[in-house]
Amino acid sequence: MTPTLDDSELLRRLVAFDSTSRNSNLPIADFICDYLDRPWIRVRRHPSPDGDRTNLFIAAGPEEASGSGLGLSGHMDVVPADEQGWRTDPFTLTQVGNTYTGRGTADMKGFLAVAINQLASLDGKRLHRPLALVLTYDEELGTLGAKHFVETWPEREVLPRALVIGEPSSLRVVRMHKGYLKMRVEFEGTAAHSGYPHLGRNAIEPAARGIVALSGLRRTLEEERPAHSEHFPEVPFAALNVGLISGGVAINVIPDYCRIELGIRLLSSEDTPIHRLLCGETGQDGSYSVSFATDGGWLQRLGLDCVIFGPGSIAVAHKPNESIPIAEMQRSAEILQRVIHRWCMAGGVV
């Protein structure tokens, strides 16, 4: 049995894996499975269709069908660290002042280290209700792992209904986030030599007009205030972004193809018992929302009550010198320990 590391050392091990979404996540998944190889812990791999990636479902405590347990969820992948401006090796955890710096420290390996150790440090016999980890692949590519998990999880196997998703929220308890709708618009033309334009039809030109039209739609959406917009004061509307455009092969060839890819972040709302418990433990009054998407958009389709709570700030995610405050990581461990005790060990609110 692998000895339990402290949270900071476990975070160092996790950051050292280059689990960028373009890579397989099997090395970091193997490490987590080996680390949690304990008699009272059940480890289940949930591979991607091509077998190059895997989700993990890891649980301890009684196996029961009521869904009364508690789940802690996070993604194992990170965004690339190719940006200019890194002052340290992004895959070497470095203490800078009162923070730990490295790719994924905030988004979201800091929470993973805390959550994994919460499970590793418990004797399963002390749990009256199950405690589980739901760890996914390729969240950064559009919550692909969570989508696969939801679409293939056996209906007869009940998951713990309450789920804490540890995305960086600066230890605020978040009960809602915007959904994310991805779209692709394709334009077809006719290829020809650019010296003979009458023989071809340029696909980029109508795509350009499409982008102008989408810009007009974006401005219209920004003026609207749909239901529940009051919970998103910074961006109280459905946000549209034209993110990618591709087309053409050379400047002397009339392009026969152009593609636009865009995303729209939509609004939603709901409350849950796990939200109320976490608010009580943190002393938080009121509700918070975030404008980024999480795996919860898919996982809630399994009937799970999802809430976002994690150390670190989304403001430093996806940027050079990503970091997590050490004090927040320590406090998140203390709060989760109390929540697990009340929910899974003391027969508290469900």
Side-chain angles (χ1 to χ4, degrees):
M1 187 171 71
T2 303
T4 302
L5 307 171
D6 63 40
D7 291 348
S8 59
E9 176 59 20
L10 180 55
L11 176 58
R12 185 183 71 80
R13 302 284 185 94
L14 295 175
V15 168
F17 288 95
D18 182 357
S19 56
T20 305
S21 301
R22 63 192 173 207
N23 301 328
S24 169
N25 79 326
L26 295 182
I28 190 172
D30 290 344
F31 168 78
I32 293 170
C33 291
D34 290 342
Y35 181 73
L36 289 174
D37 184 12
R38 287 157 167 75
W40 62 88
I41 294 179
R42 305 180 295 277
V43 177
R44 178 171 176 177
R45 293 172 180 262
H46 185 262
S48 62
D50 63 4
D52 192 48
R53 290 161 168 76
T54 190
N55 296 314
L56 296 176
F57 178 73
I58 305 174
E63 298 186 60
E64 48 88 75
S66 70
S68 64
L70 175 66
L72 307 176
S73 180
H75 58 83
M76 294 173 276
D77 62 314
V78 298
V79 297
D82 302 333
E83 318 97 321
Q84 298 295 316
W86 280 94
R87 294 188 292 270
T88 63
D89 179 351
F91 297 105
T92 299
L93 188 70
T94 306
Q95 183 170 347
V96 179
N98 296 321
T99 67
Y100 290 132
T101 296
R103 174 55 83 220
T105 48
D107 188 16
M108 55 183 301
K109 291 180 177 179
F111 177 83
L112 288 188
V114 169
I116 290 168
N117 265 348
Q118 292 296 318
L119 190 60
S121 61
L122 288 175
D123 183 342
K125 295 179 181 178
R126 298 167 54 203
L127 294 169
H128 300 302
R129 299 188 182 112
L131 176 65
L133 302 178
V134 180
L135 309 182
T136 63
Y137 67 85
D138 285 357
E139 189 271 352
E140 299 290 5
L141 295 182
T143 61
L144 301 183
K147 179 177 184 290
H148 177 63
F149 187 90
V150 169
E151 292 177 341
T152 59
W153 187 258
E155 290 185 11
R156 66 182 183 277
E157 298 188 29
V158 178
L159 297 167
R161 181 169 181 176
L163 191 71
V164 179
I165 300 175
E167 291 281 1
S169 68
S170 300
L171 299 185
R172 295 186 301 179
V173 186
V174 176
R175 72 179 180 94
M176 67 190 85
H177 68 69
K178 292 183 178 180
Y180 193 54
L181 175 64
K182 295 194 297 183
M183 293 184 286
R184 181 172 63 239
V185 184
E186 298 179 350
F187 297 83
E188 294 184 355
T190 303
H193 192 289
S194 64
Y196 301 89
H198 62 286
L199 299 179
R201 185 162 51 90
N202 191 314
I204 291 179
E205 292 177 357
R209 292 193 292 271
I211 291 174
V212 172
L214 288 168
S215 296
L217 175 59
R218 174 183 57 78
R219 290 190 293 271
T220 298
L221 292 173
E222 289 176 356
E223 296 298 321
E224 295 179 350
R225 293 298 179 267
H228 313 303
S229 61
E230 69 275 11
H231 297 295
F232 300 88
E234 291 182 291
V235 188
F237 49 82
L240 185 153
N241 178 57
V242 177
L244 292 171
I245 181 170
S246 59
V249 294
I251 61 172
N252 61 349
V253 178
I254 294 175
D256 64 348
Y257 178 80
C258 188
R259 179 172 64 190
I260 299 170
E261 296 184 61
L262 60 142
I264 304 178
R265 296 183 181 270
L266 307 170
L267 282 69
S268 63
S269 174
E270 192 179 354
D271 199 1
T272 63
I274 185 61
H275 174 266
R276 293 193 295 270
L277 177 57
L278 270 168
C279 284
E281 292 294 338
T282 59
Q284 175 179 310
D285 293 323
S287 299
Y288 286 96
S289 61
V290 291
S291 292
F292 57 85
T294 76
D295 282 336
W298 281 103
L299 296 175
Q300 57 88 25
R301 298 189 184 195
L302 293 174
L304 308 185
D305 294 335
C306 300
V307 65
I308 301 169
F309 171 79
S313 170
I314 195 66
V316 302
H318 301 194
K319 292 183 178 181
N321 308 302
E322 179 181 349
S323 63
I324 188 171
I326 298 172
E328 282 192 18
M329 190 171 164
Q330 294 170 342
R331 179 156 167 72
S332 70
E334 295 167 359
I335 293 169
L336 284 179
Q337 186 177 42
R338 294 198 302 269
V339 168
I340 290 168
H341 183 270
R342 291 192 59 186
W343 197 279
C344 298
M345 301 170 71
V349 178
V350 293

